[in-house]
């Protein structure tokens, strides 16, 4: 992480947990009526996300964050916005295998969907030390390895000046942080909090499966229902890593006594026969240094998964059908090339990736169920759309 990013982190009031996964006590209880006054888009039966005490949600902060999210001026060279790699039409993911930063540098990992990330206990694919959105957002803004939006010590004042000179921003900042004096409002701590609030507010609970689970009839096809039975069966074991209201075991909310931070090795690689993944992206071992953490990544939500191809941490699987076939085989066997090796025999592979029998019809049923997790409201909701498109 860039030095400037570290400085910003230390200045903020952020929750940190030990590296290496595990669990952390984070418990809030009681009446959340006041908290639900914010337009969360979260049904009453779903607990609210955990929100840092020093960044309570508000509509003015959400709207400021929405403008910043879509603004290329928030990058070192003025060419890239958060939205450049997180497209609303793709549930805030992108179609590239791996993202490209503002200076043309190829990112080692695939851009994940941002929908429902308010419920993540950790952020990015494999960093157990990033436990809040406020921490994570510093990385694409200021990170150097790789460069994403490319803000650094040399250009940060220029970036702030660009924002200050845009007439839309001064009133937005004034409404978001009225407690700050006029000349102190446009700064990176406020920018990070605003971006976090916008992303925290992008929630998705209006898929056909949501309607089915709420009691609506005839909203899910027979094929999807058969796929649902397969998904939640012990034969396929999908639900162990992709269960719960957010379809991932990596979920935290304000009702929980304990928050787990699981990571999984799914047997994608085994380059040296001893479990190695490509050096460019090895999992949480990059943070922990623990050998058995090789190839361990966070399981993403499966909500809107039909919109977010390609798949896996490096975008190396193109289709849902290929993903299912990989898990059915108990991992991926790469027979040639630089990454050749039998991932099925990876010694660090998760115990749930044991393989299973599945017919061609069942594969299509399972895909139908996954497609029923698509929320077309979230990808068409003007609340999450580019506000600059509406500017005169």
């Amino acid at each position: 992480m860039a030095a400037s990013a570290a400085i910003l982190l230390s200045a903020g009031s952020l929750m940190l947990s030990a590296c290496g996964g595990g669990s952390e006590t984070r418990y809030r209880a009681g009446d959340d009526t006041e908290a639900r006054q914010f337009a969360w888009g979260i049904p009453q039966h779903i607990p609210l996300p955990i929100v840092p005490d020093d960044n309570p949600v508000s509509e003015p902060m959400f709207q400021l964050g929405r403008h910043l999210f879509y603004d290329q001026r928030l990058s070192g060279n003025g060419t890239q916005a958060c939205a450049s790699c997180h497209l609303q039409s793709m549930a805030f993911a992108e179609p590239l295998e791996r993202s490209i930063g503002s200076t043309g540098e190829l990112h080692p990992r695939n851009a994940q969907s941002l929908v429902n990330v308010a419920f993540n206990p950790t952020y990015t694919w494999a960093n157990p030390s990033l436990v809040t959105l406020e921490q994570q957002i510093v990385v694409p803004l200021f990170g150097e390895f790789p460069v994403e939006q490319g803000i650094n010590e040399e250009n940060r004042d220029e970036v702030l000046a660009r924002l200050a000179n845009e007439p839309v921003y001064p009133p937005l900042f004034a409404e978001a942080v009225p407690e700050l004096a006029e000349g102190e409002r446009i700064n990176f701590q406020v920018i990070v909090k605003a971006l976090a609030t916008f992303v925290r507010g992008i929630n998705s609970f209006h898929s056909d499966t949501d309607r089915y689970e709420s009691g609506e009839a005839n909203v899910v096809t027979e094929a999807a229902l058969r796929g649902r039975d397969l998904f939640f069966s012990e034969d396929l074991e999908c639900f162990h890593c992709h269960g719960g209201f957010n379809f991932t075991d990596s979920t935290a909310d304000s009702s929980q006594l304990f928050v787990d931070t699981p990571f999984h090795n799914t047997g994608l690689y085994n380059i040296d026969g001893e479990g190695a993944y490509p050096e460019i992206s090895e999992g949480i071992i990059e943070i922990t240094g623990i050998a058995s953490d090789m190839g361990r990544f966070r399981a993403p939500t499966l909500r809107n998964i039909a919109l977010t191809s390609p798949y896996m941490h490096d975008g190396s699987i193109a289709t849902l059908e290929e993903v299912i076939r990989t898990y059915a085989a108990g991992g991926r066997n790469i027979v040639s090339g630089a990454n050749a090796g039998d991932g099925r025999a990876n010694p660090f592979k998760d115990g749930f990736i044991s393989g299973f029998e599945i017919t061609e019809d069942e594969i299509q049923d399972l895909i139908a169920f996954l497609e029923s997790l698509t929320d077309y409201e979230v990808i068409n909701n003007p609340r999450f759309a580019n506000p600059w498109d509406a500017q005169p």
Side-chain angles (χ1 to χ4, degrees):
M1 182 182 298
S4 52
I7 291 170
L8 189 59
L9 278 174
S10 65
S13 175
L14 304 170
M15 291 187 290
L16 292 167
S17 67
C19 297
S23 63
E24 176 192 357
T25 302
R26 289 195 276 182
Y27 179 55
R28 300 175 186 188
D31 185 1
D32 66 356
T33 302
E34 183 177 348
R36 285 188 182 269
Q37 298 306 306
F38 179 69
W40 283 107
I42 297 173
Q44 195 71 28
H45 66 276
I46 301 291
L48 291 180
I50 297 168
V51 178
D53 290 338
D54 69 336
N55 192 24
V57 292
S58 71
E59 188 62 20
M61 194 67 100
F62 176 91
Q63 292 300 338
L64 173 60
R66 179 182 165 216
H67 282 77
L68 293 165
F69 183 88
Y70 284 97
D71 196 340
Q72 293 183 347
R73 283 168 287 210
L74 189 58
S75 60
N77 59 15
T79 65
Q80 190 165 56
C82 306
S84 300
C85 299
H86 295 283
L87 314 180
Q88 184 181 10
S89 62
M90 297 189 66
F92 294 93
E94 69 171 343
L96 299 178
E97 290 183 9
R98 291 156 54 192
S99 300
I100 299 173
S102 59
T103 60
E105 189 172 355
L106 186 62
H107 198 287
R109 292 175 185 158
N110 173 259
Q112 301 178 76
S113 169
L114 297 182
V115 169
N116 287 14
V117 294
F119 294 100
N120 285 13
T122 61
Y123 289 90
T124 77
W125 282 98
N127 192 333
S129 67
L130 293 177
V131 298
T132 70
L133 277 165
E134 287 77 4
Q135 289 176 313
Q136 189 277 327
I137 285 168
V138 172
V139 177
L141 290 181
F142 297 97
E144 294 178 348
F145 308 105
V147 171
E148 295 181 59
Q149 287 173 252
I151 302 173
N152 54 42
E153 293 294 340
E154 287 70 38
N155 61 37
R156 57 182 298 156
D157 290 342
E158 178 187 340
V159 172
L160 292 176
R162 285 185 210 139
L163 302 182
N165 291 332
E166 165 51 57
V168 167
Y169 278 122
L172 284 173
F173 276 90
E175 193 168 2
V177 284
E179 68 277 15
L180 297 182
E182 182 176 353
E184 300 174 354
R185 291 170 183 153
I186 301 180
N187 65 69
F188 282 111
Q189 290 202 30
V190 174
I191 289 168
V192 166
K193 288 182 177 181
L195 286 170
T197 300
F198 174 65
V199 175
R200 190 169 278 131
I202 304 174
N203 293 301
S204 169
F205 292 96
H206 298 94
S207 68
D208 288 346
T209 283
D210 288 310
R211 285 190 281 274
Y212 173 79
E213 299 295 349
S214 296
E216 286 189 43
N218 303 319
V219 292
V220 175
T221 66
E222 289 299 319
L225 291 175
R226 290 192 298 270
R228 178 179 180 274
D229 290 341
L230 290 167
F231 183 90
F232 288 104
S233 71
E234 290 291 348
D235 289 337
L236 268 62
E237 315 227 54
C238 311
F239 71 95
H240 288 294
C241 298
H242 292 286
F245 66 80
N246 207 26
F247 290 89
T248 169
D249 63 352
S250 183
T251 298
D253 66 62
S254 56
S255 72
Q256 291 177 263
L257 276 172
F258 299 99
V259 176
D260 287 329
T261 56
F263 296 89
H264 305 280
N265 180 322
T266 57
L268 282 183
Y269 296 100
N270 188 11
I271 294 173
D272 60 354
E274 297 180 356
Y277 270 49
E279 289 185 4
I280 194 171
S281 191
E282 297 180 311
I284 64 171
I285 188 176
E286 297 171 18
I287 306 297
T288 67
I290 299 172
S292 58
D293 284 340
M294 174 66 76
R296 294 180 66 203
F297 295 87
R298 187 175 57 79
T301 177
L302 295 188
R303 287 185 173 275
N304 305 292
I305 194 68
L307 302 175
T308 64
S309 65
Y311 303 107
M312 319 312 281
H313 68 278
D314 55 0
S316 60
I317 297 184
T319 66
L320 285 174
E321 181 173 326
E322 189 180 352
V323 172
I324 294 169
R325 292 186 188 281
T326 299
Y327 286 138
R332 182 169 62 182
N333 183 23
I334 301 175
V335 297
S336 63
N339 295 327
D342 191 351
R344 298 171 300 182
N346 190 304
F348 307 121
K349 191 178 71 170
D350 195 288
F352 289 120
I353 313 298
S354 55
F356 48 82
E357 298 288 335
I358 190 167
T359 68
E360 295 300 315
D361 287 343
E362 287 173 334
I363 288 175
Q364 297 310 312
D365 289 343
L366 191 52
I367 291 173
F369 171 67
L370 295 173
E371 290 175 340
S372 77
L373 301 178
T374 299
D375 178 353
Y376 291 99
E377 289 189 28
V378 78
I379 64 172
N380 293 299
N381 192 336
R383 178 171 172 77
F384 309 131
N386 186 348
W388 301 103
D389 288 344
Q391 296 295 320

